[in-house]
Amino acid sequence: LNALRQPWLDAILTAATWLGSIIVLLPFALALAWRYRRRGQLRAALLLPIAVGGAWLLAHTGKLLAVRPRPDLYPALIAMPADLSFPSAHAMQITAFALAWVLAAGSRPGWARVIAAAVIILAVALSRLYLQVHFPSDVAIGMIAAAAWVIGLRLFLDARA
């Protein structure tokens, strides 16, 4: 991806990476949870913040267990994060948020919601690679782990209903 660097792409993907940040996602998840709760959708209200918060916790626990340093093949386009590389917390958090948002819609979320979720997940995942702050496996495992976490959480909440 280093060979693809362009100033306009640098700007887009530097901005896109913030969409996977806990600083952005947790307040947004809490706001949506509040909205779902006001509509009487308790499971949806619980799913979003627990999915995002749990993904953050799982990602940082995984970093402590794996102890994998960040890549250093090319200079990073942003300040190198202080924490470890594996798994990508941004990839986990955006995957957890987007999948929980799709699943919160019920059994028929609609194609627009599914496509929007897929696009935002892929944009954040690609940004982490393009910015040179993660290895591809960091991002892929982060996305897979988040999907497993959210699906398990949704099944648990459905079983409790």
Side-chain angles (χ1 to χ4, degrees):
L1 291 173
N2 187 61
L4 299 175
R5 286 190 174 176
Q6 298 292 324
W8 63 271
L9 198 51
D10 294 356
I12 290 171
L13 292 175
T14 298
T17 207
W18 278 100
L19 297 174
S21 170
I22 195 70
I23 295 168
V24 172
L25 291 174
L26 190 56
F28 198 48
L30 290 170
L32 282 173
W34 177 78
R35 184 173 173 218
Y36 284 129
R37 180 68 181 117
R38 287 185 44 96
R39 290 181 176 175
Q41 298 172 290
L42 182 58
R43 278 184 292 167
L46 290 172
L47 182 63
L48 274 159
I50 294 172
V52 172
W56 178 87
L57 184 62
L58 289 171
H60 290 282
T61 301
K63 288 175 186 290
L64 294 174
L65 295 173
V67 191
R68 182 187 216 179
R70 300 247 175 208
D72 64 354
L73 296 172
Y74 301 100
L77 291 178
I78 60 172
M80 190 64 79
D83 62 351
L84 297 162
S85 184
F86 183 87
S88 168
H90 281 71
M92 281 188 79
Q93 291 157 183
I94 193 60
T95 302
F97 175 86
L99 185 56
W101 179 63
V102 167
L103 293 176
S107 60
R108 301 185 68 83
W111 283 107
R113 188 177 285 235
V114 171
I115 290 169
V119 166
I120 196 166
I121 290 169
L122 290 174
V124 172
L126 179 62
S127 77
R128 303 311 284 169
L129 299 173
Y130 181 85
L131 297 172
Q132 305 291 324
V133 295
H134 281 291
F135 295 102
S137 58
D138 300 342
V139 173
I141 296 300
M143 292 166 54
I144 292 166
W149 161 244
V150 173
I151 291 168
L153 182 58
R154 171 66 191 259
L155 291 172
F156 174 78
L157 290 173
D158 286 350
R160 305 275 304 166

